[in-house]
Amino acid sequence: MRSIWAGMLTCGAALALAACGDTVDESQSGTGEGTIELAEFPDRPYWGDTHLHTDNSVDAFGFGVRLGPEDALKFARGDEVTATTGMSAKLARPLDFLVIADHSDGLGATRRLYDAPRLGVVAMGDETLLRWYDMMHEGPQQSQQAIGELITAAANGELPEALADPEQQKEATTEIWGAHLDTLDRYNVPGEFTALAGFEYTLMPGGNNLHRVVMFRDGSDRTKQVVPYPGLTTDAEGLWDYMAAYEEATGGKALAIPHNSNLSNGLMFELTKPGGGPMTVEYARKRAKYEPVVEVTQIKGDSEAHPFMSPNDEFASFGNTGWDFGNLPLTAQTTPEMQRGNYVREALKRGLTIEEQIGVNPYAFGMIGSTDSHTSLATGDEDNFFGKHTGNEPSATRAPAAQNLGTRIGRFGWHYLAGGYAAAWARGNTRAEIFDAFARREVYATTGPRMTLRVFGGFDFTAEDWDGDWVRAGYTRGVPMGGELRDEGSAPSFMISALKDPDGANLDRVQVVKGWIDANGEAQERVYDVIWSDMESRARAGGKVPAVGDTVDRDAATYTNDIGTAELRATWSDPDYVAGQRAFYYVRVIEIPTPRWVLFDKVRFGIELPADTELVSQERAYSSPIWLQPSAGDS
């Protein structure tokens, strides 16, 4: 019987090269695309999901999904498909790009285990493996429990031998990966829909989430020269070495996107190297190079900020409920001090602190959202939410049900968020353009709505710039989101434009979040309300902008756009600028209150929900930061 677990292919210093020594024609682009006409500047945000799981993921199949990569691609581009539970599923608006990020560990393994003859599993002589096999065949609840046990075993380094020996898995991994890449090439249509290769690296020491999505720029002529790198390793440096080896061997490009830092128990954004050693220049440079973007929001909570670190930020509690008291499998509680390594805003501040000390910022990253859906359905829409996994697809029981892999209590279905999405400012919809937008950090996150957010930073922007070609002015006299400014001795100014989702809710306000290092070397933060709807009637009181109001009908799961506004635009200059100060600035856009998916379920199924269920939220967007660096003489 062929081994059922997929892992890495060893070659040299853990390069995971599928055909070691193979080369590619450097005269080719490697993206598998022809020539299309590109705009002079990035012309619009292209919308996508960089974190979707199909039946090739060990946990997704165990949870019950029976849709593969081809169904996922069809759904993302706008086709109607049938969900695993039998319902019709279709996006109201297609996505522009998709990364299917199935787990590198156990690629296709649970599907192969499920399909294997029971006698073959018995012959392997492992009681745990046989028990999991039987549980998967008993029904959805037992299958979820089996996968919960499997994930915990992987986190504790206790997988059965048949599942943990990478040398036994090369054939299966290479076969599945190659077929998947062929599928991506078939669905990749430059200018219309971009299918990018990727996988999820699932590093999870002690159950603490240090996962990354790896995303490739290239077509199968290059990506077939590697197989996905395993997550059952000690730290992420091996992943970065794998990516460097891929680039050197193929001439291609890859990047990694950390996600669910909120479940890392403080390990994702440490002030030290993993294990407690001092942060080194080499480590910081490597991380900054290969991880230019983080996933700040997704189904398993929002990782932008937390009230523990940001008590003066009235919007800092979004997406925290249910996710801030323990790690991913709830094998360890989260202490308050751990929160500092869990959240992106604090990481951006820590990056400034580290840069002040060693001259390199390991956490100078942009921000995106994605779903992390394990249903093969990439939807971040509240009224079209198909859940985290198939047991969480639309039903009358999903919102109040315990959601801890069938084995634990403490998190419930309604804690899941219906989000998010990644927006990439690009000159056209191609692999190269989308990837390059991520690499230069000209991307932003939303919790699901498709609002348009554009930010430029410079030193001489004024309100008059809006009367002309302000986009050209932004690119020629400043930098876009994700860029860096060198301190010129005067306060930086920012052109900020936010437009509502054309099919969604009005906007409440635009805020700038600033982080900086003060004169004592301490990291600080402040949230500025820059512009908001109905400014005359909503004048600040006690330094705060009054709440925008709430039009949500809790009995009908509807709202109206009688409050808020469709567009907010401002030129803003930092009123607290100090020359020589190292700082970052990012923009947060807040919508008016709208119904959450649980309220749609309540109305759709006529159900009663627990009193503490959050039925309404104010969805949002987060831009990538712009960094202000000291002048050359001060650095």
Side-chain angles (χ1 to χ4, degrees):
M1 174 181 173
R2 189 172 71 182
S3 176
I4 58 170
W5 192 261
M8 68 177 175
L9 179 61
T10 303
C11 175
L15 306 188
L17 294 177
C20 299
D22 284 3
T23 60
V24 296
D25 182 358
E26 293 294 335
S27 66
Q28 299 178 6
S29 69
T31 58
E33 299 170 344
T35 300
I36 70 167
E37 186 175 349
L38 299 175
E40 180 181 6
F41 302 115
D43 60 341
R44 70 174 181 87
Y46 292 85
W47 292 96
D49 184 358
T50 64
H51 192 177
L52 181 71
H53 294 270
T54 74
D55 65 359
N56 276 332
S57 280
V58 59
D59 53 353
F61 186 90
F63 291 151
V65 72
R66 297 298 180 263
L67 275 64
E70 191 155 5
D71 286 316
L73 290 159
K74 288 179 178 179
F75 179 80
R77 74 179 185 181
D79 295 356
E80 183 174 315
V81 302
T82 300
T84 296
T85 50
M87 291 172 284
S88 294
K90 185 176 181 179
L91 286 172
R93 292 171 289 179
L95 295 177
D96 298 308
F97 63 91
L98 180 69
V99 179
I100 294 174
D102 285 314
H103 295 289
S104 59
D105 297 297
L107 190 66
T110 43
R111 184 176 62 186
R112 294 196 302 280
L113 174 60
Y114 184 90
D115 291 339
R118 189 175 188 277
L119 287 177
V121 180
V122 171
M124 298 180 72
D126 190 295
E127 293 183 1
T128 299
L129 199 64
L130 179 60
R131 184 166 60 85
W132 289 345
Y133 175 90
D134 288 339
M135 291 171 72
M136 288 174 63
H137 284 81
E138 287 175 18
Q141 183 175 350
Q142 294 84 354
S143 182
Q144 289 178 35
Q145 183 173 340
I147 297 306
E149 293 180 12
L150 188 154
I151 291 172
T152 299
N156 295 332
E158 298 171 351
L159 281 173
E161 183 178 353
L163 304 185
D165 183 357
E167 283 301 316
Q168 297 181 22
Q169 321 308 326
K170 293 190 296 186
E171 181 182 351
T173 301
T174 305
E175 178 183 336
I176 293 172
W177 179 242
H180 174 62
L181 295 175
D182 288 341
T183 301
L184 294 178
D185 282 353
R186 290 200 311 273
Y187 279 83
N188 185 62
V189 181
E192 297 181 18
F193 180 77
T194 294
L196 294 137
F199 63 86
E200 180 170 339
Y201 163 80
T202 314
L203 179 63
M204 194 168 59
N208 300 318
N209 191 303
L210 296 174
H211 301 184
R212 275 89 164 162
V213 167
V214 174
M215 173 172 143
F216 295 93
R217 187 180 190 264
D218 315 299
S220 62
D221 57 333
R222 289 177 175 168
T223 51
K224 278 187 177 180
Q225 297 181 55
V226 299
V227 293
Y229 185 74
L232 301 179
T233 54
T234 57
D235 61 63
E237 282 196 87
L239 175 68
W240 305 330
D241 291 340
Y242 158 85
M243 295 163 68
Y246 166 78
E247 294 181 346
E248 181 177 356
T250 69
K253 292 183 179 179
L255 57 81
I257 308 170
H259 65 85
N260 275 131
S261 56
N262 60 330
L263 300 175
S264 75
N265 269 357
L267 298 183
M268 183 66 85
F269 306 123
E270 296 181 281
L271 286 166
T272 65
K273 287 183 64 175
M279 181 73 70
T280 64
V281 170
E282 179 184 7
Y283 181 92
R285 282 178 176 163
K286 192 180 292 186
R287 180 158 185 168
K289 178 179 180 180
Y290 290 110
E291 298 187 356
V293 171
V294 297
E295 182 185 289
V296 70
T297 191
Q298 61 133 281
I299 288 175
K300 297 198 302 296
D302 191 276
S303 301
E304 185 238 351
H306 190 281
F308 177 73
M309 285 83 67
S310 303
N312 296 322
D313 181 358
E314 61 190 301
F315 293 100
S317 62
F318 178 85
N320 296 157
T321 305
W323 303 106
D324 60 355
F325 62 86
N327 62 5
L328 179 58
L330 288 178
T331 55
Q333 288 188 327
T334 302
T335 66
E337 187 57 32
M338 288 177 181
Q339 304 290 12
R340 298 192 182 278
N342 280 359
Y343 287 87
V344 169
R345 187 187 301 174
E346 190 70 17
L348 291 167
K349 289 157 58 180
R350 285 185 164 192
L352 297 182
T353 298
I354 294 169
E355 187 174 23
E356 194 95 337
Q357 295 169 350
I358 68 173
V360 181
N361 185 345
Y363 304 136
F365 39 61
M367 290 189 270
I368 61 155
S370 282
T371 66
D372 194 11
S373 168
H374 283 56
T375 64
S376 293
L377 306 174
T379 171
D381 300 326
E382 300 285 349
D383 62 352
N384 192 31
F385 180 53
F386 271 82
K388 168 66 176 176
H389 51 77
T390 55
N392 192 237
E393 289 189 359
S395 74
T397 58
R398 65 172 176 169
Q403 295 294 323
N404 289 292
L405 308 179
T407 63
R408 303 172 186 90
I409 61 173
R411 292 182 179 135
F412 299 92
W414 70 266
H415 292 152
Y416 286 129
L417 304 183
Y421 282 139
W425 281 104
R427 297 180 301 161
N429 191 6
T430 71
R431 284 171 170 165
E433 284 296 312
I434 299 299
F435 181 96
D436 291 351
F438 277 67
R440 68 177 181 267
R441 306 176 298 207
E442 198 174 352
V443 292
Y444 64 96
T446 84
T447 56
R450 303 191 195 184
M451 64 273 279
T452 299
L453 173 60
R454 197 155 212 172
V455 183
F456 293 101
F459 293 100
D460 63 354
F461 295 137
T462 67
E464 285 70 36
D465 285 310
W466 298 111
D467 297 330
D469 188 345
W470 63 273
V471 172
R472 180 177 296 276
Y475 281 110
T476 57
R477 291 172 25 221
V479 298
M481 64 177 75
E484 295 185 359
L485 295 170
R486 184 66 71 172
D487 192 351
E488 295 184 356
S490 60
S493 55
F494 300 86
M495 289 195 295
I496 305 168
S497 172
L499 299 172
K500 70 179 285 291
D501 181 332
D503 295 340
N506 275 346
L507 306 179
D508 169 11
R509 69 188 71 191
V510 166
Q511 300 175 310
V512 169
V513 179
K514 177 188 177 182
W516 73 94
I517 302 297
D518 67 18
N520 297 319
E522 298 294 326
Q524 305 291 345
E525 69 171 62
R526 182 171 177 181
V527 179
Y528 300 86
D529 287 308
V530 172
I531 187 171
W532 54 95
S533 62
D534 303 313
M535 292 184 72
E536 291 185 4
S537 60
R538 295 173 66 200
R540 281 192 178 97
K544 293 288 187 180
V545 174
V548 68
D550 185 343
T551 68
V552 176
D553 184 335
R554 269 71 170 172
D555 294 322
T558 59
Y559 70 95
T560 66
N561 276 327
D562 297 334
I563 57 175
T565 187
E567 179 179 11
L568 291 170
R569 176 183 287 187
T571 303
W572 180 82
S573 183
D574 181 2
D576 300 312
Y577 162 78
V578 175
Q581 198 174 74
R582 202 180 298 274
F584 65 79
Y585 305 83
Y586 68 86
V587 172
R588 184 171 65 182
V589 180
I590 308 290
E591 281 189 346
I592 65 171
T594 53
R596 292 190 68 226
W597 65 269
V598 288
L599 184 51
F600 285 107
D601 272 14
K602 182 177 185 292
V603 173
R604 176 181 181 182
F605 297 111
I607 57 176
E608 293 297 324
L609 294 171
D612 60 347
T613 305
E614 295 173 6
L615 302 175
V616 173
S617 68
Q618 287 187 259
E619 301 212 61
R620 56 205 58 201
Y622 309 117
S623 80
S624 291
I626 292 175
W627 286 264
L628 179 64
Q629 300 285 7
S631 65
D634 295 330
S635 57

